[in-house]
Amino acid sequence: MKYYKKLVGERIYLSPISIEDAEKYVEWLSDFKVTDGLGRSSNLMTIEDEKVWITNESKGNDLNFAIVNLENDKLIGNCSLMNISYKNRIAEVGLFIGDESNRNNGYGAETLRLLLDFGFNYLNLNNIMLGVKSFNERAIACYKKVGFKEFGRRRESYFLNGKYYDDIQMDILAREFTESYIKNKNI
């Protein structure tokens, strides 16, 4: 698979998503270790469904990227800036790292920093938010490390494996994000 280095970081880069990766995404989206954190464990995804999603998303307002290892050009996950409102200068961010071997290696934080740099410094956004389930402590720690702050919580609103969990909303403002992470900037 050929990837394109749109946003280059220290160890990863973000490339436009490709329909050729549909099978890999379905493999990951069939794994409870991935889908529990995404809130999608009750969904069933086929390769055809994923191809339709990729095709439709590439035509919409959301910006969807493949997360690719810079050293070996291997696909490790997916991320998005979505629900973008240029009028209000807001968006949501989401990501997942597919294979367990690539989790807990800092790829999620690096992905977020690239997306935030792009969102704030290229798209002129002011507020980027995300949602996370209260049991996903690893993700919450990552989001806090990058600078996200909790601004809301919907109590016991997500049911998984016989228990209820809170939905947590977090955000970060442009003025709170002061670093530059995209390595292939021209200016």
Side-chain angles (χ1 to χ4, degrees), residues 11 13 23 54 61-62 66 70 80 104 129 163-165 168 180 184:
R11 298 175 306 136
Y13 64 92
E23 188 171 341
I54 291 170
N61 193 35
D62 296 349
L70 189 57
S80 301
N104 267 350
M129 71 163 283
K163 294 172 107 179
Y164 285 96
Y165 298 94
I168 300 171
S180 178
N184 59 325

Side-chain angles (χ1 to χ4, degrees), residues 9 16 22-23 31 39 41-42 48-50 57 62 66 69 72 103 105 107 115 127 136-138 185:
E23 188 171 341
D31 180 354
S41 290
S42 61
E48 292 73 27
D49 293 336
E50 187 66 11
E57 287 301 306
D62 296 349
N69 185 305
N72 60 17
R103 294 186 208 131
N105 292 317
Y107 295 133
L115 288 172
N127 177 297
N136 198 343
E137 294 173 8
R138 181 168 52 187
K185 290 180 181 178

